[in-house]
Amino acid sequence: MRGMAAVPSYVVMQPTTLCNLDCAYCYLPFRATDRRMPVAVAEAVAASVNPWAASARFSVVWHGGEPLAAGREQLAALMVPFGPEVEHHVQTNATLIDDAWCEFFVAHRMRVSVSVDGPRERNGDRVTRSGRPAYDRIVRGVAALRRHDLPFSALAVVNDPAPGRATELYDYCLDLGCEVLGVNIEETEGVNTRTNAHDPAVVTGFWAELVAAWRRQPRIHLREVEWSLRYAAAVLDGNADDLLPRHLDPIPTVAYDGSVVVLSPELAGFTDPRYGDFSSGNVLTTPLHAILADAAERTTWVGEFLTGVEACRSSCPYFGFCGGGHAANRYFELGRFDGTETEHCRNSKIRLLEGVLEHARNHQSPGA
């Protein structure tokens, strides 16, 4: 894997900067402001996306802010320019989901992922703008999805990977009814400056415990664990070099105003004296495919990040597993892009793989 691909596998779209919640760990800088995406931005993005989707599977991920805060009418208008081959996904806090939204998801064949951190007591960071707990509103939204038999994924942030938390989270999600679970150890990024440093043994134990819980009742797809197992199997089969893509997915994030940030959605909305606004262009003046074609050459920080990826390749034994980490984690943790290991690497890559392997070692068959 070297350099950045010219064609992404998905595009992140920000229909509004506004979020109706004020989660303590959120990285977004403008979530109290309602800046909405004009339809002209969606039309410009679709001009590049539709040809891509005609030849390969392609997704548009509606992200925020809280994308449902844009309203059904606005979101529907933004979706119109995209062709029928495009898959639409939404990442939502679920608090606004009701029967009308469920009908919208069905009509637009929209896949839903819900942000929820486990049982009530683990959602203390998820509060409304007035500081009130959001948990009851989240589960009401999930109940609406289940009434309409809509499959959904869950995304959980873990700020304390203490013993017992992984089993608690997995059992909760079994009862919740989600089909896929993604788990993020809280990250220090954006406006969230809380530390994400943890005892290595505790984090490794968290992941090992999560594997054990999943193996007892493997009814949910576990995003991180299943990727780890695919990697381990590829290593054993001698084809690990074929697992990562040939080039980094640019993951373009299109902000409400049409500006495009590649590689890390978490950088959108921020500025830096050295790197500017991190944007590689704007779809209202330059086609998305043209922005991506030379983003690495025209965007200073992207070139610096690719240098850092090569440094990881030459120095880190986990490179084949993670592919060089994420740009935003380097920037917000290290203050630059050409560094290597971060706390995010340790928590969600290194300790993840070690936890999966620890579980395997502890559950070997006798005589193995």
Side-chain angles (χ1 to χ4, degrees):
M1 185 180 69
R2 295 186 184 274
M4 195 169 68
V7 177
S9 60
Y10 64 100
V11 169
V12 179
M13 299 280 282
Q14 186 183 51
T16 177
T17 56
L18 180 67
C19 186
N20 59 321
L21 298 188
D22 192 20
C23 301
Y25 53 65
C26 184
Y27 62 85
L28 292 166
F30 302 121
R31 60 185 186 270
T33 306
D34 190 6
R35 300 174 180 174
R36 298 196 180 189
M37 177 179 284
V39 171
V41 170
E43 291 172 341
V45 174
S48 291
V49 163
N50 289 339
W52 293 334
S55 58
R57 183 176 180 180
F58 198 92
S59 301
V60 170
V61 180
W62 299 93
H63 208 289
E66 167 51 50
L68 303 192
R72 286 184 293 277
E73 183 177 346
Q74 174 70 6
L75 195 54
L78 293 172
M79 294 173 69
V80 166
F82 294 96
E85 299 90 355
V86 175
E87 296 180 4
H88 291 277
H89 300 243
V90 62
Q91 183 65 46
T92 173
N93 61 36
T95 61
L96 300 176
I97 296 177
D98 56 13
D99 291 334
W101 270 114
C102 290
E103 292 165 5
F104 180 96
F105 299 148
V106 171
H108 293 85
R109 296 180 298 161
M110 202 168 208
R111 302 186 183 195
V112 180
S113 178
V114 170
S115 299
V116 60
D117 299 338
R120 181 185 301 274
E121 58 271 23
R122 305 298 171 221
N123 284 267
D125 285 335
R126 303 185 62 75
V127 297
T128 66
R129 298 228 142 263
S130 60
R132 301 176 68 84
Y135 182 75
D136 288 339
R137 296 173 64 182
I138 294 169
V139 294
R140 279 201 299 270
V142 171
L145 292 171
R146 297 186 67 169
R147 276 200 309 277
H148 289 262
D149 294 320
L150 282 168
F152 64 96
S153 302
L155 182 62
V157 173
V158 174
N159 57 23
D160 180 12
R165 294 291 171 83
T167 301
E168 176 189 71
L169 175 61
Y170 187 79
D171 290 347
Y172 173 83
C173 288
L174 281 175
D175 292 339
L176 193 70
C178 63
E179 294 189 344
V180 181
L181 172 62
V183 180
N184 291 343
I185 304 293
E186 182 179 340
E187 301 170 44
T188 302
E189 61 184 2
V191 298
N192 178 27
T193 58
R194 304 195 310 192
T195 182
N196 61 339
H198 300 284
D199 183 298
V202 170
V203 180
T204 300
F206 171 87
W207 291 116
E209 182 186 315
L210 187 62
V211 179
W214 172 68
R215 288 194 64 196
R216 285 194 295 272
Q217 295 189 76
R219 302 204 315 264
I220 296 175
H221 288 292
L222 267 181
R223 185 183 65 181
E224 288 76 17
V225 169
E226 292 184 21
W227 165 249
S228 303
L229 293 173
R230 283 197 298 273
Y231 174 74
V235 170
L236 293 173
D237 291 341
N239 59 8
D241 288 345
D242 298 329
L243 199 59
L244 290 175
R246 292 295 129 215
H247 304 284
L248 282 168
D249 193 322
I251 317 175
T253 295
V254 183
Y256 75 97
D257 61 356
S259 60
V260 178
V261 172
V262 297
L263 295 172
S264 284
E266 298 86 357
L267 292 170
F270 290 92
T271 58
D272 182 277
R274 295 161 293 171
Y275 307 115
D277 65 359
F278 300 104
S279 172
S280 293
N282 192 297
V283 296
L284 294 177
T285 56
T286 308
L288 180 59
H289 65 267
I291 291 173
L292 298 182
D294 61 358
E297 290 74 28
R298 291 194 303 107
T299 313
T300 302
W301 73 263
V302 174
E304 186 178 302
F305 171 70
L306 294 177
T307 298
V309 170
E310 293 307 308
C312 285
R313 185 195 305 277
S314 64
S315 65
C316 182
Y318 296 88
F319 181 83
F321 176 60
C322 82
H326 301 293
N329 297 113
R330 294 188 191 197
Y331 174 73
F332 289 115
E333 287 194 38
L334 307 177
R336 55 186 303 113
F337 291 97
D338 55 1
T340 53
E341 191 173 306
T342 63
E343 289 293 348
H344 174 70
C345 291
R346 299 178 191 109
N347 290 333
S348 298
K349 303 296 183 182
I350 296 172
R351 309 306 175 212
L352 164 61
L353 186 56
E354 290 179 348
V356 171
L357 296 177
E358 178 181 290
H359 173 83
R361 284 192 297 269
N362 292 338
H363 294 79
Q364 291 184 76
S365 300

